[in-house]
């Protein structure tokens, strides 16, 4: 007999959303720390959250026929672009 917990574990067998979320979270923290302590500038809060934009786009578009690796790369590009915009 299947328990109610079996349905919950089936939802997490595909970890692509979790991987993209992990990269987005790490990029957000890295961007904030590198701008504050590396470059020494204070950036408005909304710009520090820019790496989360590709993550939310992937969640709301349900992947949009792009692989998790593509969404993670897009997150890294947005992070680097934001850093470059404010640092240089």
């Amino acid at each position: 007999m299947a328990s109610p917990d079996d349905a919950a574990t089936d939802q997490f067998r595909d970890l692509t959303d979790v991987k993209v979320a992990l990269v987005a979270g790490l990029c957000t923290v890295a961007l904030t720390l590198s701008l504050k302590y590396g470059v020494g500038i204070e950036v408005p809060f909304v710009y520090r959250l820019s790496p989360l934009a590709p993550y939310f786009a992937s969640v709301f578009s349900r992947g949009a026929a792009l692989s998790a690796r593509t969404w993670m790369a897009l997150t890294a590009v947005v992070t680097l672009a934001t850093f470059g915009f404010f640092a240089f």
Side-chain angles (χ1 to χ4, degrees):
M1 182 162 166
S3 70
D5 293 333
D6 290 340
T9 56
D10 286 339
Q11 293 176 352
F12 291 109
R13 294 203 191 270
D14 183 26
L15 296 176
T16 56
D17 287 343
V18 175
K19 291 177 186 177
V20 176
L22 181 64
V23 169
L26 291 175
C27 284
T28 302
V29 171
L31 177 65
T32 300
L33 294 177
S34 64
L35 286 172
K36 185 171 185 176
Y37 297 113
V39 182
I41 58 174
E42 188 65 33
V43 177
F45 183 68
V46 71
Y47 294 112
R48 292 184 312 210
L49 295 179
S50 64
L52 296 178
Y55 168 68
F56 287 123
S58 73
V59 168
F60 290 128
S61 67
R62 302 304 276 158
L66 298 175
S67 67
R69 185 174 293 169
T70 305
W71 285 111
M72 290 186 280
L74 182 61
T75 302
V77 167
V78 167
T79 303
L80 291 174
T82 305
F83 179 79
F85 179 77
F86 287 105
F88 300 110

